[in-house]
Amino acid sequence: MTRDPAAGSGVSAAAAALQERLADRRPSLALTMGSGLGGLAERIQDPLLIPYDVLPGWPRPTVAGHAGTAVSGWLGGVQVLGFGGRVHMYEGHEQERTAFYVRVLARLGVPVLFLSNAAGAINRSFAPGDLMLIADHINLMFRNPLIGPVESGEGRFPDMSDPYDPDMSDPYDPRLAEQVRLAAMELRIPVQEGVYAAVPGPSYETPAEIRMLDRLGADAVGMSTVPEVIAARASGIRCVAVSCLTNYAAGVSTEPLDHQEVLETGRRVAGDFQRLVTGSVQRIGALLEDAS
Ligand code: HPA
């Protein structure tokens, strides 16, 4: 599995095309909307829609519930760039392709990435419809987006814990996570916290696999997010992520699993999810302003 040597230039071309579309807009936060959570894009004010088709080399999503459009605009008073739809490993993409847009964000100098996803609940004290702040992750995709030549601006062996940085104890920035907690309290939206395990999919897990993930320390399971976070941390982008727990993971309940349930639960909690993200983004914006 060798990286296409042209991949780096693919990132530059896409970054140039995206910046051209954005003109003088300078997003300070990117927002990735997971399965069934794309409705958040409608809350973005003064929207400028940028279909992925107009961006050279941009991977296109093929899954129901993923729009395939970037939206620039303002959310909670912060200039954001939303991504309605990502590509996954199970669509046949190498990890570096699933993280392509993150490398573009690094080129554009976007400092914060707010990710969301749909995930299955492993922790038995969680329930479908709960929102979960991702505290840390376990990469069980057995792939890594950084495999191949080192991209400019990235280290060869980036730290995913950074114990020497008082602000960064794992790939998810504690100061950003705190803003989500504070927004949740203010809006009275209950938020769980836990460890997200990423698996390749696309089949859902077996009950035995879920028991294994439980023993490994995972609270939720999904098929995205982790490659993007790894690429983001390699280039110094700060991450915060929220899962929408759309179903009990296999064997946790006797219900069969299907993608429709994932989308329906996403729609059911869309209101809370959108309010939580908007409130969190507003707070993160204030934090970024204080730092500048
Ligand atoms: N497993 C894996 N990915 C998922 C699930 C699940 O149960 N629900 C939503 N995405």
Side-chain angles (χ1 to χ4, degrees):
M1 190 187 34
T2 52
R3 163 111 55 97
D4 172 359
S9 59
V11 170
S12 308
L18 181 54
Q19 190 58 68
E20 196 183 320
R21 291 266 165 174
L22 290 171
D24 57 358
R25 292 179 176 217
R26 294 273 177 283
S28 49
L29 183 145
L31 193 57
T32 308
M33 293 167 271
S35 295
L37 303 173
L40 182 57
E42 281 151 37
R43 291 206 174 207
I44 297 179
Q45 286 155 5
D46 192 14
L48 171 72
L49 302 189
I50 308 168
Y52 293 165
D53 321 17
V54 303
L55 302 171
W58 203 277
R60 316 260 170 83
T62 59
V63 195
H66 287 262
T69 309
V71 189
S72 146
W74 277 259
L75 185 73
V78 179
Q79 196 173 157
V80 300
L81 181 59
F83 293 99
R86 48 155 69 95
V87 296
H88 305 80
M89 189 174 165
Y90 60 72
E91 292 169 83
H93 298 284
E94 287 296 348
Q95 291 271 299
E96 60 162 306
R97 297 288 291 157
T98 64
F100 181 85
Y101 79 93
V102 179
R103 285 185 158 137
V104 170
L105 294 174
R107 296 286 171 103
L108 296 188
V110 178
V112 174
L113 176 58
F114 197 134
L115 303 109
S116 64
N117 59 42
I122 297 176
N123 185 323
R124 283 165 193 271
S125 59
F126 298 173
D130 283 359
L131 299 173
M132 184 189 90
L133 179 61
I134 301 185
D136 201 347
H137 70 226
I138 304 176
N139 181 9
L140 290 170
M141 290 177 147
F142 303 106
R143 290 281 190 281
N144 191 297
L146 309 180
I147 290 174
V150 181
E151 282 281 324
S152 74
E154 294 178 2
R156 174 72 297 180
F157 302 111
D159 191 352
M160 291 289 134
S161 70
D162 217 345
Y164 303 109
D165 180 345
D167 292 328
M168 185 70 75
S169 56
D170 59 46
Y172 303 87
D173 187 314
R175 286 174 313 172
L176 302 183
E178 187 59 14
Q179 305 315 308
V180 178
R181 279 185 212 110
L182 291 170
M185 272 194 285
E186 189 177 83
L187 297 165
R188 298 180 190 281
I189 298 172
V191 175
Q192 310 284 7
E193 291 193 31
V195 172
Y196 174 91
V199 294
S203 54
Y204 287 116
E205 302 69 39
T206 65
E209 286 164 349
I210 293 300
R211 285 196 296 278
M212 173 191 76
L213 294 178
D214 190 14
R215 283 178 196 154
L216 292 180
D219 297 292
V221 59
M223 304 172 191
S224 68
T225 304
V226 165
E228 297 141 75
V229 169
I230 292 173
R233 291 307 306 135
S235 57
I237 297 176
R238 292 177 176 264
C239 296
V240 58
V242 172
S243 291
C244 171
L245 304 179
T246 49
N247 55 281
Y248 284 116
V252 177
S253 92
T254 50
E255 291 293 308
L257 297 184
D258 84 315
H259 188 57
Q260 274 319 312
E261 180 193 2
V262 168
L263 296 181
E264 273 162 33
T265 312
R267 276 192 282 272
R268 177 160 66 79
V269 298
D272 274 0
F273 169 78
Q274 292 172 13
R275 287 188 311 123
L276 178 68
V277 175
T278 306
S280 306
V281 166
Q282 187 170 7
R283 287 176 168 277
I284 291 169
L287 206 69
L288 291 173
E289 253 170 40
D290 286 350
S292 65

